Amino acid sequence: MKSKIGVPLVLLIVAGLYSAVEYPEETSNAIETIKELLPDDAPVGMEVPPPYNDRYKTCTAAQVVNDKRCGDDKVLPIDAKKMPHIARNISLHWKQHPQTAALTKASYKQAQNYKDSGCATFVRTVDPPERGKKGSCDEFPFKSTEEGGAGSRIEEVPRREQDIQGGVIGGFYSTHKMVDGDKYVVVLVNTASIAPGPYKG
């Protein structure tokens, strides 16, 4: 079976390799991020908040990962195997705000949402020398959405997961040629890998 790699991912790989050549100290992080974005084994398990269970019971985790769709919905899968702490942050937010599985792209609000979420003044507690392991502020709903900003759940996650998430979200927006105002649904896949506790380095 051939793996499908879209143009945005190819560009990301080229950019990552260029960065690795230009900045040797970043080589390991760049290569690891690229590996995480490449196709993986078929995902197992999918989570959406209870109000969406019936809507997504006919779609498999493998389907939403491959097609980025379920029925008429554009679907953004967040892989807990690759982003266990980010998946944890999303899952915990859903327990209080299940409606935020459905999001609306709003890139124009990104800078303000980042500030309003609390990430602009976030003080990380994990700070090892390796860039990928440094703590980073993760916010959900995403800062690039109408639903982001004040009221978002923020939590410290590994910088490496943030790098992966940025590529996943950017690639998803590009694949669907999404513009501000377009709607989509977030799902979690490989749910057995969701981090059981906060990131501690």
Side-chain angles (χ1 to χ4, degrees), residues 77-155:
I78 297 295
D79 190 340
K81 189 182 290 186
K82 298 175 180 179
M83 297 169 277
H85 291 91
I86 285 175
R88 164 189 154 83
N89 193 31
I90 294 171
S91 182
L92 289 174
H93 184 81
W94 281 349
K95 293 185 188 311
Q96 300 296 322
H97 307 281
Q99 74 279 6
T100 55
L103 300 177
T104 310
K105 186 175 184 289
S107 296
Y108 72 96
K109 294 182 67 175
Q110 186 161 305
Q112 189 61 49
N113 280 347
Y114 184 76
K115 294 177 183 177
D116 292 345
S117 71
C119 275
T121 55
F122 182 84
V123 179
R124 66 182 179 217
T125 62
V126 181
D127 192 24
E130 301 92 344
R131 178 180 184 274
K133 293 182 179 180
K134 286 181 181 291
S136 177
C137 182
D138 179 62
E139 80 289 332
F140 187 82
F142 309 128
K143 62 188 175 187
S144 60
T145 66
E146 287 283 359
E147 297 76 14
S152 295
R153 187 177 196 280
I154 62 174
E155 184 161 297

Side-chain angles (χ1 to χ4, degrees), residues 45-57 73 75-78 87-103 140-141 184-189 191 194:
M46 184 167 72
E47 178 184 329
V48 291
Y52 294 82
N53 285 340
D54 287 344
R55 185 170 169 179
Y56 286 93
K57 65 184 179 182
D73 292 342
V75 177
L76 172 61
I78 297 295
R88 164 189 154 83
N89 193 31
I90 294 171
S91 182
L92 289 174
H93 184 81
W94 281 349
K95 293 185 188 311
Q96 300 296 322
H97 307 281
Q99 74 279 6
T100 55
L103 300 177
F140 187 82
Y184 62 96
V185 177
V186 178
V187 303
L188 301 178
V189 298
T191 50
I194 293 175

